[in-house]
Amino acid sequence: MYATQFSLASRRIFWISLCLFCALVFASELNAQQPTAEIITIKGTVLVSFQGKPPMAATVGAILQAGDVIETLAVSSVGLRFSDGSELRLGQNSKVDLATLTQVPATKARESRVKLWYGSLRAWIAPEHQTAGSSFEVDTPNALAGVKFSQPVIEVSYDPRTK
């Protein structure tokens, strides 16, 4: 009977240890810093909506994350620099949602997806964003433009009146 109890106790300790080990390994992956974008230039009136909150005036140095929305008004523009060095410039009367900003820790491959609701943008893709498995996509209501680690520049515009 003592051997059976020892066996059960050993199994419990083994499983608890395994669960703790897995939790530590996955916690470091989950806590790995996800890509962000920083506002580096502002001309005119630019609004930003952080995580679905009401829009507010954007400021140089503000850090944007996946899910944030940025909008330029007439005679306005904004420049963003992603944490990998890529840059995104929005022209006047433009609105984008930074839909996806992720990085796979093991391969360093990045995935960026921006939803262009209207207006124009120009992106310069940094070498760090051009590794195998990386992608940079601009999604509009009727088209999808993408860069798969080969072209350093992409320019997209969308006019909802003419589609």
Side-chain angles (χ1 to χ4, degrees), residues 92-93 117-119 141-142 158-163:
Q92 68 176 344
N93 298 317
W117 294 108
Y118 53 84
N142 66 354
Y158 179 74
D159 184 349
R161 292 172 296 177
T162 61
K163 297 185 182 185

Side-chain angles (χ1 to χ4, degrees), residues 10-89:
S10 295
R11 282 189 237 167
R12 285 184 184 145
I13 290 172
F14 169 77
W15 286 111
I16 290 171
S17 299
L18 182 63
C19 290
L20 287 173
F21 174 76
C22 290
L24 289 174
V25 169
F26 291 119
S28 65
E29 249 183 67
L30 291 175
N31 289 331
Q33 185 149 359
Q34 288 299 311
T36 58
E38 177 183 2
I39 297 176
I40 56 171
T41 61
I42 293 177
K43 176 185 166 198
T45 304
V46 178
L47 303 174
V48 64
S49 176
F50 295 103
Q51 304 298 305
K53 293 183 181 170
M56 57 189 284
T59 58
V60 171
I63 303 298
L64 306 174
Q65 300 177 14
D68 293 343
V69 175
I70 192 154
E71 179 178 12
T72 61
L73 301 182
V75 195
S76 301
S77 63
V78 65
L80 308 175
R81 181 175 298 126
F82 291 81
S83 52
D84 67 355
S86 297
E87 292 192 15
L88 185 72
R89 305 276 178 182

